């Protein structure tokens, strides 16, 4: 007697290969969407400082001392007078008109009017003379101050530095960038290691745009590096073109205490 | 992105495991959605065809039209068993178109149908255990990453010697990202698992009903006492 054995029907199961690829694509898309839509609260709007640039705009050759120095030393084209200060002129004694004689006779009208007019003319002339004298005295004193400041600054300070002999009112461009970085770094600062330090070299084009960001030195704290990067990205919105229409490159040292120039 | 790069080795490992769980869970969800949708749709079409046709041999020739219907597989199994019982030599009956219930002909078909049901349930439930595992363990794995990250963060705070927000916040935030990813992996997995369990229950009920109907038809039409 023979027995036949039948193989039961079993439906094959497909693998997950295609669906895994689809799932991976979905995850990547969602990840980038989350980044693009700025869902993470790290990019919340931050109140931007309002910068009012009056005298501190960076220039090629900043004037001696702080920008406030420009208030005392007004532009060089002013000519100093060659003459020595004059002594104040002696005041002229004004003679009072002679006392009127008491008389019952009324004076003739035309004569009285002529006298009053001559007194007014005299007063006006006197006032003009006094004003002219005051102006001359002030001018002489101002020229003397300018002369003394100029001679003192030329003695030993280099051009463009405090106490130097720059010719323009304004500030150093590196200091200007540093101040912007300081402001934004206060918003983004975060660190995890003991003494994080990052040295960054920034290259700024002639129009004030950031063209390169290079980390020259890092202590390895990724959180701190990211904070520095975000600070630079925020600060670059407020950069003005470098003076002289040239590219500008400079290194800045970021520490938890703040930002220094390299 | 900073929280992925700034994390420690353990938290990174936790994040990789969670991302793996999430990717595989989504793949299973997509796969099961397609599988259960096809199974339901084709089962309905097969039932309609079955009740309209009423001839087993005709149905058997067109069974390939329903490759994903569990009911079509059951029919195929039942009909194959029926044919085997009706073959001369297997059943010693006078009329070859009639099967005997005395030696368990109906029971044979019933067993074949039960086996087909089990096979289909196994096929439909395949991979769903991974969803259940993800749903139940991913939050805990994430929590472990968070606890470890906070421990590391506090250690860092101690080293830096400062308790300012700038020092405390990044460590805590990067630690909490592990819990967040754990929940992101677990929530769809739990939802998917519950959804598919419900759908599979419906398919099982359909298969049980069909099995009963098939046996009734066989007993009415083919069996003899």
């Amino acid at each position: 007697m023979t027995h036949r054995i039948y193989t039961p029907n079993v439906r094959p199961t497909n693998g997950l290969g295609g669906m895994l690829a689809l799932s991976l694509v979905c995850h990547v898309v969602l990840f980038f969407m989350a980044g693009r839509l700025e869902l993470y609260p790290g990019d919340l709007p931050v109140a931007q400082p309002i910068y009012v640039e009056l005298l501190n705009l960076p220039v090629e050759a900043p004037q001696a001392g702080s920008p406030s120095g420009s208030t005392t030393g007004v532009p060089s084209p002013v000519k100093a007078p060659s003459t020595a200060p004059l002594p104040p002129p002696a005041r002229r004694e004004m003679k009072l008109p002679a006392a009127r004689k008491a008389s019952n006779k009324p004076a003739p009208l035309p004569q009285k009017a002529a006298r009053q007019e001559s007194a007014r003319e005299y007063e006006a002339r006197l006032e003009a003379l006094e004003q002219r004298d005051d102006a001359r005295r002030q001018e002489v004193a101002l020229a003397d101050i300018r002369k003394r400041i100029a001679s003192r600054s030329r003695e030993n300070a280099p051009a463009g530095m405090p106490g130097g002999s720059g010719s323009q009112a304004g500030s150093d461009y590196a200091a200007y960038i540093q101040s912007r970085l300081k402001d934004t770094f206060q918003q983004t600062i975060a660190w995890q290691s003991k003494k994080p330090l990052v040295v960054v070299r920034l290259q700024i084009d002639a129009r004030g745009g950031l063209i390169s960001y290079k980390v020259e030195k890092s202590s390895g704290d990724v959180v701190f590096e990211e904070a520095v990067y975000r600070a630079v990205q925020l600060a670059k919105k407020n950069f003005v073109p470098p003076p002289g229409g040239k590219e500008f490159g400079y290194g800045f040292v970021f520490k938890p205490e703040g930002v220094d120039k390299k | 992105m900073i929280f992925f790069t700034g994390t420690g080795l353990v938290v990174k490992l936790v994040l990789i495991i969670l991302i793996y769980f999430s990717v595989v869970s989504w793949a299973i969800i997509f796969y099961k959605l397609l599988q259960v949708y096809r199974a339901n749709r084709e089962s309905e079409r097969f039932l309609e065809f079955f009740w309209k046709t009423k001839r087993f041999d005709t149905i058997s020739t067109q069974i390939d039209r329903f490759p994903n219907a569990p009911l079509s597989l059951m029919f195929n199994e039942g009909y194959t068993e029926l044919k085997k019982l009706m073959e001369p030599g297997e059943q010693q009956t006078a009329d070859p178109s009639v099967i005997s219930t005395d030696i368990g002909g109906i029971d044979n078909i019933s067993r074949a149908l039960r086996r087909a049901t089990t096979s289909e349930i196994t096929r439909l439930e395949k991979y769903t255990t991974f969803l259940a595992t993800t749903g139940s363990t991913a939050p805990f794995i994430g929590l472990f990453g968070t606890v470890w990250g906070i421990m590391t963060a506090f250690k860092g705070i101690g080293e830096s010697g400062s308790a300012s927000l700038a020092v405390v916040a990044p460590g805590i935030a990067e630690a909490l990202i592990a819990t967040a990813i754990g929940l992101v992996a677990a929530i769809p997995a739990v939802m998917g698992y519950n959804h598919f369990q419900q759908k599979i229950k419906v398919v099982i009920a359909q298969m049980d009903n069909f099995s009963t109907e098939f046996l009734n038809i066989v007993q009415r039409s083919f069996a003899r006492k």
Side-chain angles (χ1 to χ4, degrees):
Chain A
M1 188 176 175
T2 56
H3 293 278
R4 276 182 289 175
I5 297 170
Y6 294 92
T7 313
N9 293 322
V10 178
R11 201 166 274 169
T13 312
N14 298 328
L16 281 176
M19 293 302 169
L20 269 175
L22 178 66
S23 170
L24 203 62
V25 169
C26 285
H27 276 77
V28 171
V29 169
L30 282 176
F31 182 79
F32 279 106
M33 270 174 68
R36 294 276 297 177
L37 294 174
E38 298 179 348
L39 295 176
Y40 195 73
D43 293 329
L44 284 174
V46 182
Q48 293 293 321
I50 298 168
Y51 295 105
V52 181
E53 308 290 3
L54 295 175
L55 296 171
N56 286 347
L57 277 174
V59 291
E60 265 187 299
Q63 199 164 26
S66 67
S68 58
S70 60
T71 53
T72 54
V74 199
S76 52
V78 177
K79 284 180 185 172
S82 55
T83 53
L86 297 173
R91 282 180 172 265
R92 290 176 192 173
E93 290 296 325
M94 191 170 66
K95 285 179 183 173
L96 290 170
R100 288 178 193 167
K101 288 175 186 173
S103 71
N104 295 332
K105 289 181 198 173
L109 277 174
Q111 274 186 356
K112 193 179 175 183
R115 266 207 308 276
Q116 280 176 349
E117 184 143 342
S118 72
R120 270 202 301 274
E121 274 176 13
Y122 182 77
E123 279 174 11
R125 217 169 39 243
L126 192 63
E127 199 175 338
L129 273 171
E130 281 176 352
Q131 280 178 355
R132 205 182 310 153
D133 280 348
D134 283 348
R136 198 192 301 164
R137 270 204 304 279
Q138 279 180 4
E139 200 177 318
V140 166
L142 202 60
D144 187 41
I145 290 166
R146 273 196 213 109
K147 212 172 178 181
R148 268 185 282 165
I149 287 173
S151 65
R152 193 168 48 197
S153 64
R154 280 188 202 110
E155 280 169 8
N156 48 10
M161 297 297 287
S165 56
S167 59
Q168 291 169 296
S171 64
D172 175 17
Y173 189 69
Y176 170 85
I177 297 294
Q178 183 194 3
S179 80
R180 298 297 178 268
L181 292 173
K182 263 184 187 173
D183 286 347
T184 52
F185 193 48
Q186 281 173 359
Q187 297 167 18
T188 63
I189 186 164
W191 74 95
Q192 285 184 311
S193 55
K194 198 171 182 180
K195 282 183 181 172
L197 183 141
V198 172
V199 180
V200 171
R201 185 168 183 80
L202 302 180
Q203 199 75 25
I204 297 165
D205 66 15
R207 288 179 299 172
L210 183 68
I211 48 175
S212 111
Y213 170 92
K214 188 182 171 194
V215 178
E216 288 187 338
K217 189 183 167 191
S218 172
S219 57
D221 189 334
V222 186
V223 173
F224 191 69
E225 264 187 41
E226 182 68 21
V228 171
Y229 177 75
R230 287 175 59 208
V232 173
Q233 294 303 314
L234 284 173
K236 73 177 183 183
K237 297 169 191 166
N238 295 316
F239 288 172
V240 296
K246 289 178 280 188
E247 270 191 16
F248 176 82
Y250 207 86
F252 295 93
V253 182
F254 289 80
K255 289 185 276 188
E257 294 81 26
V259 185
D260 292 330
K261 288 193 281 185
K262 192 181 168 190
Chain B
M1 192 63 193
I2 178 177
F3 295 111
F4 289 93
T5 52
T7 51
L9 185 69
V10 175
V11 180
K12 265 191 191 127
L13 198 68
V14 164
L15 290 177
I16 288 168
I17 290 170
L18 290 175
I19 289 167
Y20 167 77
F21 269 113
S22 181
V23 170
V24 176
S25 295
W26 281 45
I28 291 169
I29 289 169
F30 293 147
Y31 178 79
K32 285 284 152 193
L33 274 176
L34 200 66
Q35 191 187 38
V36 170
Y37 169 74
R38 279 178 179 166
N40 277 328
R41 194 188 57 177
E42 289 189 15
S43 286
E44 280 172 20
R45 280 175 48 213
F46 175 78
L47 270 181
E48 199 182 331
F49 175 70
F50 180 81
W51 291 118
K52 267 186 188 168
T53 310
K54 291 178 182 173
R55 283 188 64 85
F56 280 8
D57 51 350
T58 316
I59 295 168
S60 177
T61 55
Q62 300 197 28
I63 202 82
D64 293 341
R65 283 170 55 198
F66 313 98
N68 295 298
L71 301 187
S72 69
L73 180 85
M74 288 182 71
F75 172 82
N76 204 24
E77 287 290 301
Y79 184 65
T80 310
E81 190 60 34
L82 180 65
K83 276 198 298 186
K84 277 187 277 182
L85 287 171
M86 287 163 57
E87 277 176 14
E90 297 253 343
Q91 294 279 330
Q92 300 298 323
T93 57
D95 184 357
S97 67
V98 174
I99 60 166
S100 169
T101 55
D102 296 341
I103 55 168
I106 290 292
D107 286 346
N108 275 14
I109 297 169
S110 176
R111 277 195 294 273
L113 290 173
R114 206 178 309 137
R115 196 189 55 74
T117 306
T118 313
S119 158
E120 277 301 285
I121 291 170
T122 309
R123 188 176 71 93
L124 288 171
E125 284 187 340
K126 194 176 179 185
Y127 301 130
T128 53
T129 46
F130 189 89
L131 293 182
T133 307
T134 303
S136 56
T137 58
F140 292 111
I141 296 171
L143 195 63
F144 167 71
T146 298
V147 170
W148 192 274
I150 288 176
M151 278 164 56
T152 316
F154 277 118
K155 200 177 156 201
I157 291 164
E159 279 177 2
S160 67
S162 167
S164 68
L165 199 62
V167 177
V168 177
I172 306 293
E174 78 172 29
L176 286 174
I177 199 84
T179 303
I181 302 275
L183 292 174
V184 165
I187 291 167
V190 171
M191 287 171 72
Y193 179 76
N194 290 337
H195 175 77
F196 296 129
Q197 283 300 309
Q198 176 60 28
K199 291 282 179 190
I200 289 167
K201 263 186 198 169
V202 173
V203 176
I204 292 170
Q206 265 185 346
M207 288 192 291
D208 284 343
N209 290 342
F210 181 78
S211 171
T212 313
E213 289 291 341
F214 188 87
L215 286 173
N216 285 345
I217 291 166
V218 168
Q219 194 143 22
R220 275 200 305 268
S221 311
F222 300 97
R224 75 169 174 80
K225 296 279 180 183

